[in-house]
């Protein structure tokens, strides 16, 4: 009987509606109410510092190469002690899709994603973040890593005194 | 002609060709570090291992050391060979520092490529690494010895190929060290090639240190404007700044290398003083305003002083496109003179040589390298055209006899004039005119051309300079039918200038000014000596360099540098070569705000990005003067050059 199955369908729908009316809501009254995202949430990007307080970013351009929307640009430079760093570093958050590939590519753990997703501006140009807007005063995740302690180019310690290094060889020695 | 089978593909190669090259000829890549086409084999890196399945030799072999033989069956994919290569790369990486992120080679590093391609992705060794102390090798080359994988390419190039004596390999066992006896600038004027030839980041270009990465480079095939040889280069730019120059292979011309004069000469393009905005009497103007003002002044000069009072002046650094339009421009403004040379002497000396070259047999750098008898006649190639000296050295290494004939100005001052870059190389500052460049090749000094046993030579080459050519050149060439001639001209496009000057009856500016009729000069990338401009009421300059002529000009129309445009140049043999646009013109991003970051501004044209190639400005003038629209500068005789590909070996214009 077609009419009976139609009534059954109507009642089922009604039952679901009423069931949900008495459930606890899943939505919240954002922005009055806020929810804390998980620590691994991928939102606003920061540049972190190493445990010694130095800038971690060495401007190696791997993040900008990995970025699928090309929103990272920078200019590497050299400090007096031979340290490679970013003279300027820019992320265009109007373009960023928060995929996290930059953070994955970064060999120094400098660039990291934070859970801060509240980046809205009235002027789109304000979404272009420069190094001073990105650089934070902390290590973020992985607080113990300092790339220059492992790199072997004598920036944070003398050459040959890094963690995985032997003392420099004496070329003029004839000993075996 | 051995026939062999590589990975099931039958290959036939010439005698003496290695298995590695045989595989390359059918596009089978075999990893290699120490082998290099220009340097040959060393068998030092052990990374080109292949498995010989059948034939005269069996088992794992180094493909770079093994000449191809009949009946060989080679497998590059055999598990044993693959495992061997993977293990070798792992050994090479044991001492390698963890510094790709701060290494300028990163992204263009053969070691990175083969490490990943060889299947060694994760480090297993956790012991300590050997380290080295670096040397200061001067302002051009950075040294980072920790990265070395002992392939010996650098020494083989520096000592054997380029004849340098101040750099070599020292130490023993795990301590081998590639460097100088003490800190100091590398002396060879070819030292920059270490940057290209080292498969790792031991030698990197200090002038481009920490500037950009390979994947961000603006690159295009180009041609060196440093001298008349026209060596092939790949300039590298980023953010409108010319960062570095690398060599580009052209077997007919420079082979694999370039000289330091070319490699470390980016300052002219990056010069903050470069003219970038059109000027009318010192006031900044738009390009259209300046063009209009120029047309007006041309008309005024003609009205005041009569027709024939304008001189159109080109130069021997102007590209063919611009130079070929000048005769039409001269017609359109009923110019009294069309000039490609400022000095009468240079014009007189160059024109006959061009005639000789176009009827005779010009020698390419390849001809020089393959020659068995070379006569260097009254010039020092090392100073005027360094790569030619390197070519002579290669011939000498292969047993050619080199004769030196000092005469004319070579006995006096020729050769003392040194280019700025080369002057910095101590090698050259020690070379006086009387001292032939012995270090590159041993030469037999003879008093005249007749004393050279040319008749016995199979492929003799005569090298001379346009400023000091021997008198009986034509006769000698006629007598000796297999003799080829290499002339060193003063500038990159001297050939173009002389060709066109001859074809269009151009005079020298010196001569034109001496008649007293010239009252206005349109200088297109021309360097005019100030004394010739005295008493000339009107000068207009089209140029990309801040020359004295530009400073003296009332109207300045900036043009693009060679890396900012497509163009054609013709080298000393009459070989037309195309160079492509590498970067957009404009003030480098670095120059906009040196302290901070680039400004947040949307623009379609960068600041200072308006200049056009010289030929387009000349074409605009022609259009303004006689209404003729020119969209293609290469027409008539040059039409076939329109299709010239930059990656080709070039086209001899004698064949056009
Ligand atoms: S990948 Fe990391 S170290 Fe490299 S430029 Fe980006 S943030 Fe800096
Ligand atoms: S030489 Fe190559 S592998 Fe070594 S640090 Fe430099 S880029 Fe990395
Ligand atoms: S310095 Fe470079 S070219 Fe020389 S041996 Fe080491 S890796 Fe090879
Ligand atoms: S020899 Fe001349 S053309 Fe060749 S690279 Fe040197 S300066 Fe340039």
């Amino acid at each position: 009987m077609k009419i009976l199955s139609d009534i059954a369908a109507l009642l089922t729908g009604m039952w679901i509606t009423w069931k949900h009316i008495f459930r606890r809501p899943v939505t919240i009254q954002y922005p009055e109410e806020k929810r804390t995202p998980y620590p691994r949430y991928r939102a606003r990007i920061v540049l972190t510092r190493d445990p010694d307080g130095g800038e971690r970013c060495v401007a190696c351009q791997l993040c900008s190469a990995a970025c699928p929307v090309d929103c990272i640009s920078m200019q590497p430079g050299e400090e007096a002690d031979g340290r490679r760093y970013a003279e300027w570093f820019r992320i265009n958050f109007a373009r960023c899709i928060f995929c996290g590939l930059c953070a994955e590519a970064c060999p120094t753990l400098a660039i990291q994603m934070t859970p801060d997703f509240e980046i809205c501006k009235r002027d789109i140009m304000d979404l272009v973040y420069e190094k001073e807007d990105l650089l934070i005063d902390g290590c973020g995740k992985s607080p113990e890593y300092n790339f220059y302690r492992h790199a072997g180019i004598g920036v944070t310690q003398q050459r040959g005194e890094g963690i995985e290094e032997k003392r420099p060889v004496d070329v003029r020695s004839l000993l075996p | 002609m051995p026939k062999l089978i590589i990975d099931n593909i039958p290959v036939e190669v010439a005698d003496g060709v290695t298995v590695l090259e045989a595989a390359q000829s059918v596009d089978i890549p075999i990893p290699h570090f120490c082998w290099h086409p220009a340097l040959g084999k060393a068998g030092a890196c052990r990374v080109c291992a292949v498995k010989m399945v059948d034939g005269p030799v069996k088992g794992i072999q180094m493909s770079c050391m093994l000449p191809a033989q009949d009946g060989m069956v080679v497998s590059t994919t055999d598990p044993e060979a693959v495992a061997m290569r993977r293990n070798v790369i792992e050994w090479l990486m044991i001492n390698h520092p963890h510094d790709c992120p701060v290494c300028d080679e990163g992204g263009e590093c053969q070691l990175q490529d083969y490490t990943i391609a060889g299947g060694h992705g994760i480090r297993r060794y956790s012991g300590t690494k050997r380290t080295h102390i670096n040397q200061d090798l001067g302002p051009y080359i950075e040294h980072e010895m920790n990265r070395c994988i002992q392939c010996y390419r650098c020494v083989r190039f520096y000592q054997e190929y380029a004849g340098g004596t101040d750099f070599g390999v020292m130490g023993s066992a795990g301590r081998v060290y590639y460097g100088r006896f003490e800190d100091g600038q590398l002396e060879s004027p070819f030292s920059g090639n270490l940057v290209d030839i080292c498969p790792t980041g031991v030698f990197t270009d200090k002038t481009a240190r920490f500037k950009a990465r390979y994947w961000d480079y603006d690159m295009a095939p180009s041609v060196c404007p440093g001298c008349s040889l026209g060596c092939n280069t790949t300039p590298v730019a980023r953010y409108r700044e010319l960062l570095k120059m690398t060599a580009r292979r052209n077997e007919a011309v420079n082979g694999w290398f370039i000289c330091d004069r070319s490699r470390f000469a980016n300052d002219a393009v990056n010069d903050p003083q470069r003219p970038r905005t059109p000027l009318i009497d010192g006031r900044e103007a738009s390009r259209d305003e300046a063009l209009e003002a120029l047309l007006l002044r041309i008309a005024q000069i003609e009205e005041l002083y009569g027709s024939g009072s304008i001189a159109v002046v080109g130069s021997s650094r102007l590209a063919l496109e611009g130079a070929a339009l000048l005769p039409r421009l001269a017609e359109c403004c009923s110019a009294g003179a069309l000039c490609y040379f400022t000095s009468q002497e240079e014009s007189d000396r160059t024109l006959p040589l061009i005639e000789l070259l176009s009827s005779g047999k010009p020698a390419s750098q390849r001809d020089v390298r393959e020659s068995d008898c070379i006569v260097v006649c009254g010039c020092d190639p090392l100073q005027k055209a360094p790569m030619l000296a390197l070519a002579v050295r290669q011939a000498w290494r292969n047993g050619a006899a080199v004769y030196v004939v000092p005469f004319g100005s070579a006995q006096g001052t020729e050769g003392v004039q040194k280019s700025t870059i080369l002057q910095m190389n101590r090698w050259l500052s020690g070379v006086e005119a009387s001292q032939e460049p012995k270090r590159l090749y041993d030469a037999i000094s003879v008093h005249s051309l007749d004393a050279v046993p040319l008749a016995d030579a199979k492929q003799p080459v005569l090298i001379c300079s346009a400023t000091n050519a021997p008198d009986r050149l034509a006769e000698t060439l006629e007598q000796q039918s297999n003799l080829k001639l290499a002339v060193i001209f003063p500038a990159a496009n001297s050939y173009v200038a002389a060709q066109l000057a001859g074809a269009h009856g151009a005079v020298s500016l010196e001569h034109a000014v001496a008649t007293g009729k010239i009252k206005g000069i349109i200088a297109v990338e021309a360097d005019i000596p100030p004394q010739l401009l005295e008493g000339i009421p009107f000068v207009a300059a089209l140029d990309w360099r801040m020359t004295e002529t530009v400073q003296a000009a009332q109207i300045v129309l900036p043009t693009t540098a060679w890396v900012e445009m497509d163009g054609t140049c013709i080298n000393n043999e009459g070989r037309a070569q195309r160079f492509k646009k590498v970067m957009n013109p404009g003030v480098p991003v670095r120059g906009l705000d040196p302290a901070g970051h680039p400004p947040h501004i949307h623009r379609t044209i960068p600041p200072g990005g308006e200049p056009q190639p010289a030929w387009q400005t000349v074409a605009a003038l022609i259009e303004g003067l006689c209404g003729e629209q020119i969209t293609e500068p290469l027409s008539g005789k040059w039409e076939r050059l329109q299709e010239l590909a930059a990656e080709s070996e070039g086209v001899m214009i004698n064949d056009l």
Side-chain angles (χ1 to χ4, degrees), chain A residues 47 56-63 74 89 102 105-108 110-111:
Chain A
L47 288 176
R56 261 185 177 152
C57 174
V58 299
C60 68
Q61 278 147 323
L62 282 173
C63 51
M74 75 197 73
F89 191 108
C102 53
C106 181
T108 65
I111 197 165

Side-chain angles (χ1 to χ4, degrees), chain A residues 29-147:
Chain A
Q29 291 301 317
Y30 181 82
E32 289 79 25
E33 271 175 65
K34 291 198 178 174
R35 184 169 279 170
T36 317
Y38 292 102
R40 282 174 40 169
Y41 192 90
R42 297 195 311 263
R44 186 171 60 86
I45 296 166
V46 292
L47 288 176
T48 59
R49 290 179 184 273
D50 60 37
D52 304 324
E55 284 170 26
R56 261 185 177 152
C57 174
V58 299
C60 68
Q61 278 147 323
L62 282 173
C63 51
S64 57
C67 178
V69 292
D70 265 356
C71 70
I72 307 180
S73 45
M74 75 197 73
Q75 175 62 58
E78 187 179 9
E79 302 268 24
D81 60 358
R83 189 182 182 110
R84 182 173 168 136
Y85 75 110
E87 276 178 7
W88 51 266
F89 191 108
R90 171 183 286 183
I91 299 182
N92 183 349
F93 280 120
R95 239 202 248 176
C96 178
I97 56 170
F98 304 101
C99 63
L101 288 182
C102 53
E104 210 163 301
C106 181
T108 65
L109 308 178
I111 197 165
Q112 299 186 3
M113 316 293 287
T114 69
D116 172 18
F117 54 83
E118 294 179 311
I119 5 177
C120 291
K121 306 276 180 193
R122 290 197 180 273
D123 181 359
I124 200 162
M125 287 307 259
D126 292 343
L127 282 170
V128 177
Y129 277 40
E130 297 294 343
K131 189 166 125 182
E132 51 271 28
D133 312 317
L134 296 165
L135 190 63
I136 61 164
D137 269 337
C139 306
K141 300 164 213 170
S142 315
E144 65 299 323
Y145 188 66
N146 183 346
F147 168 78

